[in-house]
Amino acid sequence: MSAGPYNYSYIFKYIIIGDMGVGKSCLLHQFTEKKFMADCPHTIGVEFGTRIIEVCGQKIKLQIWDTAGQERFRAVTRSYYRGAAGALMVYDITRRSTYNHLSSWLTDTRNLTNPSTVIFLIGNKCDLEGQRDVTYEEAKQFAEENGLMFVEASAKTGSNVEDAFLETATRIYQSIQDGRLDLNAAESGVQHKPSQPGRNLSNDLHQKDNCPC
Amino acid sequence: MSNINQEVINVILEKLSSVEIKIKNVSFNCIYYKYSRIRTSLIHQTDIFRSVSDTNSIPSYTHYKFTINYKTLNLPFILDNGTDSKIFEEALTIALSLRSQDSDFHWLEKFSLDSDSFSEFGDDASGLPVCRQKIPRTRGSSSRESMFRFEMESRKAQYTKLRDCSIFVGTWNVNGQPPPPSLSTWLACDPEPPILYAVGFQELDLSKEAFLFSDSPREAEWERAVITSTHPGAKYRMLALIRLVGIQLIVLIHIDHYGYVRDVAWDTCGTGILGKMGNKGGVAIRIRLYDTTLCFVNSHLAAHQDEVQRRNQDYRDISDRINFRKPLKLLKSMSVYNFNQRLIQVLLHFSQVYWLGDLNYRLNKLTHEEVKRLLHFHEISNILKYDQLGLEQSGGRVFEGYTENEITFQPTYKYDLNTDKFDSSEKARAPAWCDRILYRGKGIHQVTYRSHMDHRISDHKPVSALFRSDIAVIDEAKQKKVQEEVFKLMDKLENEILPQVTVDQTEVLFGIVKFKEPVTREIIVANTGQVPVEFNFVNKINEDSYCKEWLRISPYCGSIEPGEKCDIRFEVNLEQHLNKFEDILVLHLENGKDIFISVSGDCQRSCFTASISVLCRCSLPILLMSPEQLRLAEAQQSLVLYSVPRELWLMVDFLYRNGLKTKDLFESTALHDDIMKIRDWLDYGSLNPILDNVSAVAECLLLFLQHTKDPVIPYYQMEKCALCTNFNMCQMIIAQLPDLHRNVFLYIAMFLKELLKHSAENGTDVKMLATIFGNIMLRNPKAKKDRPQVARGKVTFVQHFLDNDISGLIMPKQ
């Protein structure tokens, strides 16, 4: 059988952070199960999800840790930042307070992760346009000022959810290619699995030619 | 076709692990099946559980999902209901063989903390207080790989189409002769050019040189002859040429299809002299054309009329020993595929095998004359009744699973050279069909099977067969789509198989907790997932224990089987004053998520945990003091009212009046309830007298001195005291203590001296009292252990005061 093996070349660790109720778990669920989870209970702890994606012809396993957003858990959830290659920082476009807290989340992320960690800002619940409390433009500006990637998404409709996870991975992968992210660093959040000789070699070569990056 | 059932699994497991395995509690009638544990006679434990993957569609099960934990690896499968048990067995075999290859794991060694534990997030997490490195070790990648392959294989029809390819197979024993000018009447006799040629020769070179040095000019001569005689309608490229002494096999590919050939390999197997020399034996070439693996075997089996058994044995030897471990790299883009050495009959694993050669099977019983007579009447089928190969094969002794088309041509052996006449020599060997072509595998359609009489240089005639074979061609777009589906399925599986529990409460409230009066609460952790759960409480960042010292968790780790639950008991026992106590515990599931459990409550004030300086400022029992009064007392802003705490005086006074003559005063233990009564009497105050129980009051006195917020001898002076060598030094240090602490110390010392006066009745002695009170008045900061010197010094220090006159040290009341 010549099908490309299920083996992945990299493992990327992601964390999802942000205030309580902004929809972190729903984003994860939408990404892993392609379903919207209505009546999602508050996460009391750290949930764990995984999915294999393909970026530039490379199979990458994403390990996603979805953290509790409640303020009282903040001290505990800080221990999960370490070794994250990607951080998805989520706010709710219908609740300004969740947007106002971003700088505190960002400070934690910067302090607790390494400089090459890709931070992606997600304005969730963009399906609720009528209740919008944070404009796209100001969030966009905030993202630009802080060098974050940004998108407005909806865990309910699935809009842009896939993109946020995949673009983060693409950016991490580019960092690896550029050498900005040192795979050997203890906390890179990335593990590389060298492709095995003799397996699907032609396929790999073929894919490399088509790689857009 | 048998459905998957318990017996089948039982049998297969027995077969695979060759140990006795018994399955108990297997039931197919619930949402997830009772997780059953199988013990093998090995030290390893095998676990098997199954579940219906779609829990919504009970009872019309669509899938059985198997995860067999064998040793430390999982082998997950999904099988359709009613799946042929053979498929299950095959999948299991593949998974097990892949598992044992363990090549997938090498890259992980670098990340593993120890060789046993397989972790995907190893070294970054070693310093983490929460044992993050263990999180993702859900499944070994090799079993993932095997499951992926299995899933792709079972969906193969969705993404492959069959392409009709013509394959020309020829065989000729050339009797050591050089090639004739052209072979085209043999190789190019069909109207259309074939896609693939597999041409085998035997007795290519009968010279000693060929035998001894495996070097022959004939090789190149015949190679050229074949290449120049291919069908003129197409161009061909050589894929492989392999020769074992006189047994040569050439495989050519139509130039248009050259780019679709991969994984070319060859192997040889001698079965001649000593069972391994190359005068007899076989050679084989394996290629992958599009997505079907083809194998061509050219063999020259043992000669002579009576050597049937020997020929059968030669066939078996070749079948068993050909394993393609010698790869032939002809094309740059080709990748080499190494087969597992353990797979013995490699030939069985090819999609299509074509076996050609001088198999040397003769005709039983028939004489030369009889054959000639029957041939004259074209009664070939009557002669074939005596064909040794046909007889052996139908008897199941050779070429099992192979097919040979009906022979319609006359025997190809033995002819007088340069004629079409059968052997006219003295030996007059009976004619026979020595030269044969057989095949096995799916989708092979033989079009022709013939001999070529016009080639007369040898005593054999060449034979050829044209096949139209179905070659699987993978539609890459469709394959990609199916692959995505399988990925999704496996991602889903992977997430489903993560351990899952529900906890009945994540906020554990203790209310008001009093000094030394433990309060317990229980939570229920239920395994609502599909796999057994191992849980434990893990440390948070910068903390060296998974919980605070006032909390006890039992059990703090354990395992819960699917559908089962576990009660976890929390016990709070406060021995110090905390306005509010709270903690967040991290309940970690091995390979899965973490759950935070908050524990909180309020601590009731008690004189036992207050500081000496506060108590000396309290005019009332501590619980009757207003918050403001307490605040001032704590800030040392209110007046000192007593030279020693009121509570201390109450206890000592009681003992002085009632306990001086009590035997073993400080060595008997009181009921916990009595101690709690005295605590409340002191904390709340009462018009009733103190509980009339000498040993309980004595124990309370010890507890009091042991738990005061700051010890009688402050920490910073403790070691200095313990290292005093004489009473003078002791007196000097005691003079430096804060007034109230000095008062307490001397007050106790005076009381002890009083006790010693009655040592005849109460059984105390200096050493014993000094030991008990030395350790509680000269306390250590928690969790710090004394040096032996200091431990002895504490006792000596107290002893100095008991041995000497201290009346002069008592200061007048302020």
Side-chain angles (χ1 to χ4, degrees):
Chain A
M1 225 195 66
S2 76
Y6 186 60
N7 282 337
Y8 40 83
S9 327
Y10 294 92
I11 304 169
F12 291 174
K13 174 187 163 180
Y14 280 18
I15 49 164
I16 312 181
I17 48 169
D19 274 11
M20 179 167 77
V22 297
K24 296 182 292 299
S25 298
C26 291
L27 285 168
L28 173 62
H29 197 78
Q30 178 63 252
F31 179 66
T32 57
E33 308 279 324
K34 303 232 167 30
K35 273 182 215 153
F36 176 62
M37 188 167 41
D39 309 321
C40 171
H42 289 308
T43 304
I44 312 280
V46 175
E47 295 281 342
F48 183 71
T50 168
R51 192 179 136 185
I52 294 202
I53 56 162
E54 194 168 318
V55 169
C56 303
Q58 293 284 339
K59 292 251 155 36
I60 293 165
K61 178 173 181 166
L62 298 184
Q63 267 183 8
I64 308 149
W65 297 358
D66 163 35
T67 62
Q70 290 176 51
E71 183 61 32
R72 65 196 176 104
F73 295 132
R74 197 74 178 264
V76 187
T77 51
R78 282 196 180 104
S79 58
Y80 294 82
Y81 284 62
R82 209 171 130 184
L88 306 184
M89 197 164 74
V90 188
Y91 70 96
D92 176 352
I93 66 154
T94 68
R95 283 192 296 145
R96 175 156 284 276
S97 64
T98 66
Y99 173 79
N100 293 340
H101 293 154
L102 285 177
S103 54
S104 131
W105 288 108
L106 185 59
T107 309
D108 270 3
T109 313
R110 295 251 195 258
N111 289 342
L112 299 164
T113 61
N114 64 65
S116 58
T117 300
V118 174
I119 309 174
F120 203 112
L121 180 64
I122 300 175
N124 193 26
K125 310 194 188 177
C126 70
D127 52 301
L128 303 175
E129 190 56 47
Q131 299 167 41
R132 180 183 283 278
D133 202 13
V134 180
T135 67
Y136 178 86
E137 290 70 25
E138 60 183 317
K140 180 78 191 156
Q141 195 186 340
F142 174 85
E144 274 167 12
E145 282 165 4
N146 291 286
L148 313 176
M149 300 170 85
F150 171 63
V151 79
E152 280 190 350
S154 165
K156 190 170 185 179
T157 65
S159 151
N160 282 339
V161 174
E162 191 92 351
D163 306 324
F165 283 84
L166 296 188
E167 278 178 37
T168 307
T170 309
R171 182 65 71 89
I172 296 167
Y173 185 70
Q174 283 166 352
S175 298
I176 298 169
Q177 300 302 99
D178 306 346
R180 267 178 293 147
L181 193 148
D182 178 8
L183 286 177
N184 295 321
E187 294 172 30
S188 65
V190 172
Q191 274 180 31
H192 183 229
K193 175 184 180 183
S195 62
Q196 291 156 26
R199 229 176 239 180
N200 227 34
L201 194 62
S202 51
N203 213 6
D204 285 354
L205 289 171
H206 176 70
Q207 282 165 335
K208 206 160 208 171
D209 296 341
N210 295 343
C211 180
C213 57
Chain B
M1 220 180 233
S2 58
N3 290 357
I4 296 294
N5 60 38
Q6 183 187 341
E7 286 73 41
V8 171
I9 296 163
N10 222 332
V11 168
I12 291 162
L13 287 175
E14 276 176 13
K15 203 188 262 182
L16 288 169
S17 52
S18 66
V19 291
E20 193 192 343
I21 294 171
K22 284 177 186 152
I23 300 179
K24 42 183 183 178
N25 303 332
V26 174
S27 156
F28 279 89
N29 299 318
C30 49
I31 295 172
Y32 53 78
Y33 295 103
K34 179 79 186 163
Y35 171 77
S36 51
R37 184 155 281 184
I38 305 155
R39 291 194 181 278
T40 70
S41 61
L42 297 174
I43 47 169
H44 303 294
Q45 187 173 291
T46 308
D47 295 330
I48 178 168
F49 82 94
R50 64 228 61 198
S51 72
V52 179
S53 67
D54 186 2
T55 50
N56 298 324
S57 63
I58 310 157
S60 58
Y61 314 121
T62 52
H63 291 100
Y64 292 124
K65 184 164 65 193
F66 293 87
T67 295
I68 296 174
N69 298 327
Y70 180 73
K71 294 176 186 174
T72 55
L73 290 168
N74 295 348
L75 308 168
F77 304 101
I78 292 182
L79 293 179
D80 287 334
N81 193 0
T83 303
D84 187 348
S85 62
K86 263 190 189 159
I87 293 178
F88 176 68
E89 191 176 354
E90 270 168 26
L92 214 53
T93 315
I94 294 168
L96 279 171
S97 74
L98 278 167
R99 176 188 64 87
S100 51
Q101 274 182 356
D102 78 12
S103 58
D104 286 354
F105 295 101
H106 292 316
W107 69 283
L108 287 162
E109 283 168 10
K110 179 178 155 198
F111 300 103
S112 298
L113 297 175
D114 57 78
S115 55
D116 301 355
S117 76
F118 161 66
S119 93
E120 291 178 356
F121 250 83
D123 61 355
D124 78 311
S126 54
L128 276 184
V130 182
C131 306
R132 308 289 61 207
Q133 75 271 21
K134 289 179 183 161
I135 272 268
R137 44 170 280 214
T138 39
R139 253 160 307 289
S141 58
S142 88
S143 67
R144 191 180 2 246
E145 177 74 21
S146 69
M147 183 177 177
F148 173 76
R149 287 182 183 205
F150 179 76
E151 292 293 323
M152 287 304 286
E153 190 69 37
S154 61
R155 288 166 172 74
K156 205 168 181 177
Q158 295 175 26
Y159 58 86
T160 50
K161 56 175 190 270
L162 296 176
R163 181 186 181 129
D164 180 27
C165 288
S166 52
I167 297 175
F168 181 98
V169 177
T171 178
W172 191 10
N173 182 323
V174 296
N175 196 24
Q177 300 300 314
S182 171
L183 302 172
S184 47
T185 52
W186 172 36
L187 300 178
C189 59
D190 295 305
E192 294 295 321
I195 280 172
L196 196 89
Y197 273 106
V199 183
F201 297 103
Q202 302 82 34
E203 299 192 4
L204 192 82
D205 194 334
L206 296 170
S207 67
K208 283 199 179 68
E209 289 77 9
F211 183 64
L212 294 174
F213 306 115
S214 74
D215 190 33
S216 170
R218 291 273 189 265
E219 177 179 313
E221 289 169 21
W222 280 101
E223 178 189 345
R224 211 173 308 118
V226 169
I227 289 172
T228 53
S229 305
T230 52
H231 201 287
K235 282 199 165 135
Y236 292 90
R237 274 184 86 164
M238 168 106 82
L239 283 177
L241 182 154
I242 172 67
R243 183 174 61 83
L244 173 72
V245 190
I247 308 165
Q248 175 162 315
L249 179 61
I250 303 173
V251 175
L252 305 174
I253 181 82
H254 190 300
I255 193 111
D256 293 350
H257 300 271
Y258 179 72
Y260 302 99
V261 175
R262 282 185 290 152
D263 302 345
V264 178
W266 55 265
D267 203 355
T268 63
C269 171
T271 60
I273 300 161
L274 297 174
K276 48 186 171 185
M277 301 302 272
N279 57 330
K280 290 291 185 297
V283 298
I285 291 172
R286 188 271 321 272
I287 67 163
R288 188 187 191 99
L289 176 61
Y290 293 94
D291 297 292
T292 297
T293 314
L294 309 175
C295 179
F296 300 94
V297 183
N298 175 18
S299 70
H300 191 188
L301 307 185
H304 305 301
Q305 177 76 29
D306 299 331
E307 294 284 358
V308 177
Q309 296 309 320
R310 177 75 224 185
R311 285 189 272 280
N312 292 355
Q313 185 58 45
D314 284 355
Y315 157 79
R316 280 193 293 273
D317 287 347
I318 295 166
S319 285
D320 289 349
R321 278 152 55 183
I322 294 276
N323 57 25
F324 298 104
R325 263 175 293 146
K326 298 161 214 156
L328 180 68
K329 286 186 192 173
L330 275 183
L331 305 173
K332 263 191 184 167
S333 62
M334 279 179 185
S335 57
V336 174
Y337 206 89
N338 279 318
F339 269 80
N340 190 335
Q341 212 175 323
R342 268 173 294 246
L343 299 176
I344 298 170
Q345 283 233 0
V346 170
L347 292 184
L348 290 177
H349 293 256
F350 292 114
S351 315
Q352 299 182 357
V353 181
Y354 300 86
W355 194 303
L356 54 125
D358 179 358
L359 308 185
N360 256 326
Y361 286 94
R362 309 299 168 87
L363 298 173
N364 277 339
K365 295 174 193 167
L366 288 186
T367 65
H368 193 145
E369 292 311 316
E370 284 168 327
V371 175
K372 272 188 164 174
R373 190 176 51 80
L374 287 166
L375 276 175
H376 184 75
F377 294 107
H378 301 286
E379 293 190 19
I380 286 178
S381 56
N382 277 334
I383 312 175
L384 281 168
K385 286 177 188 161
Y386 303 94
D387 173 47
Q388 289 174 340
L389 177 56
L391 292 167
E392 291 301 299
Q393 200 189 0
S394 58
R397 291 180 290 275
V398 79
F399 283 104
E400 267 186 286
Y402 284 83
T403 310
E404 186 188 25
N405 268 28
E406 195 192 344
I407 293 174
T408 53
F409 47 89
Q410 66 178 46
T412 54
Y413 176 80
K414 176 180 187 174
Y415 291 92
D416 288 340
L417 295 184
N418 301 313
T419 71
D420 292 338
K421 285 183 197 148
F422 287 113
D423 187 14
S424 58
S425 69
E426 273 180 33
K427 286 185 183 168
R429 288 195 179 88
W433 285 281
C434 289
D435 308 282
R436 312 287 276 262
I437 296 169
L438 297 89
Y439 60 90
R440 66 173 285 165
K442 283 181 195 158
I444 304 176
H445 314 284
Q446 191 169 349
V447 183
T448 62
Y449 194 19
R450 65 218 159 179
S451 67
H452 301 267
M453 296 300 286
D454 57 323
H455 291 275
R456 301 190 177 95
I457 56 164
S458 166
D459 52 352
H460 288 255
K461 296 294 178 189
V463 169
S464 73
L466 185 70
F467 295 93
R468 305 201 70 87
S469 299
D470 293 338
I471 300 295
V473 181
I474 287 176
D475 180 328
E476 287 194 10
K478 278 185 189 164
Q479 185 195 18
K480 212 168 163 113
K481 229 183 108 205
V482 172
Q483 197 170 307
E484 290 307 314
E485 283 167 21
V486 173
F487 277 161
K488 261 183 221 161
L489 173 79
M490 291 182 62
D491 283 339
K492 190 165 172 276
L493 257 183
E494 194 147 332
N495 285 306
E496 272 176 11
I497 295 178
L498 288 173
Q500 283 298 339
V501 298
T502 46
V503 177
D504 69 329
Q505 49 177 330
T506 54
E507 305 255 347
V508 184
L509 304 175
F510 283 87
I512 294 171
V513 179
K514 297 177 180 176
F515 173 73
K516 276 268 184 192
E517 195 169 326
V519 178
T520 60
R521 296 281 186 269
E522 277 186 359
I523 63 165
I524 301 165
V525 181
N527 185 344
T528 49
Q530 304 179 356
V531 290
V533 165
E534 301 252 334
F535 71 86
N536 65 317
F537 285 89
V538 294
N539 298 4
K540 295 190 293 291
I541 202 159
N542 298 333
E543 288 188 11
D544 46 18
S545 174
Y546 57 85
C547 70
K548 295 280 198 303
E549 72 277 1
W550 41 262
L551 184 66
R552 271 184 45 209
I553 306 175
S554 68
Y556 68 93
C557 66
S559 58
I560 312 170
E561 314 238 317
E564 305 283 315
K565 64 186 182 61
C566 175
D567 296 338
I568 298 182
R569 183 185 158 97
F570 297 97
E571 181 184 294
V572 170
N573 186 11
L574 296 175
E575 297 192 340
Q576 59 183 324
H577 182 70
L578 306 156
N579 282 325
K580 245 187 104 60
F581 60 90
E582 57 191 335
D583 196 8
I584 296 171
L585 308 167
V586 181
L587 175 61
H588 171 64
L589 308 185
E590 193 82 6
N591 308 333
K593 63 178 185 177
D594 291 355
I595 299 153
F596 297 160
I597 294 170
S598 310
V599 173
S600 65
D602 293 300
C603 174
Q604 179 171 296
R605 262 181 202 281
S606 169
C607 61
F608 285 82
T609 53
S611 74
I612 291 169
S613 97
V614 167
L615 292 173
C616 289
R617 289 175 162 89
C618 288
S619 54
L620 293 167
I622 194 159
L623 290 173
L624 302 182
M625 299 285 285
S626 71
E628 177 61 12
Q629 286 170 316
L630 280 172
R631 194 189 62 77
L632 289 172
E634 272 164 4
Q636 307 199 354
Q637 285 169 353
S638 54
L639 282 177
V640 174
L641 302 171
Y642 306 107
S643 52
V644 296
R646 216 183 103 259
E647 293 79 3
L648 179 65
W649 178 82
L650 285 167
M651 288 186 283
V652 170
D653 182 59
F654 175 83
L655 291 174
Y656 185 79
R657 284 184 284 108
N658 305 295
L660 288 181
K661 293 173 184 173
T662 306
K663 190 132 181 72
D664 300 330
L665 188 60
F666 291 111
E667 287 178 297
S668 50
T669 39
L671 287 175
H672 188 255
D673 270 1
D674 288 347
I675 291 174
M676 295 301 102
K677 278 177 195 158
I678 294 167
R679 178 202 61 198
D680 287 346
W681 186 84
L682 292 169
D683 286 345
Y684 287 104
S686 168
L687 294 173
N688 301 322
I690 190 166
L691 187 76
D692 186 15
N693 179 335
V694 172
S695 62
V697 176
E699 196 170 335
C700 283
L701 174 65
L702 295 179
L703 281 175
F704 180 88
L705 294 170
Q706 203 175 356
H707 291 99
T708 48
K709 195 177 171 197
D710 25 16
V712 179
I713 305 291
Y715 294 134
Y716 62 91
Q717 270 169 326
M718 189 273 290
E719 283 215 0
K720 241 195 270 175
C721 293
L723 298 174
C724 285
T725 50
N726 56 52
F727 184 51
N728 273 342
M729 282 172 78
C730 296
Q731 286 175 299
M732 281 166 67
I733 289 184
I734 215 75
Q736 293 164 14
L737 291 185
D739 290 344
L740 296 173
H741 287 250
R742 184 174 56 242
N743 292 348
V744 169
F745 182 84
L746 293 172
Y747 182 62
I748 294 295
M750 290 294 283
F751 170 64
L752 296 181
K753 283 170 87 77
E754 205 56 42
L755 263 181
L756 286 169
K757 287 179 189 163
H758 303 271
S759 54
E761 289 108 318
N762 60 32
T764 56
D765 62 66
V766 173
K767 196 80 190 169
M768 178 207 117
L769 291 176
T771 308
I772 295 173
F773 285 85
N775 277 309
I776 58 174
M777 292 198 292
L778 284 79
R779 257 158 44 209
N780 270 344
K782 276 218 161 57
K784 217 185 127 191
K785 258 203 115 102
D786 281 330
R787 292 179 285 142
Q789 201 186 353
V790 173
R792 277 194 307 274
K794 287 176 172 182
V795 178
T796 321
F797 181 78
V798 175
Q799 203 175 338
H800 279 304
F801 289 89
L802 302 186
D803 289 342
N804 293 289
D805 178 22
I806 56 170
S807 55
L809 297 171
I810 308 290
M811 300 269 180
K813 200 173 170 182
Q814 286 171 333

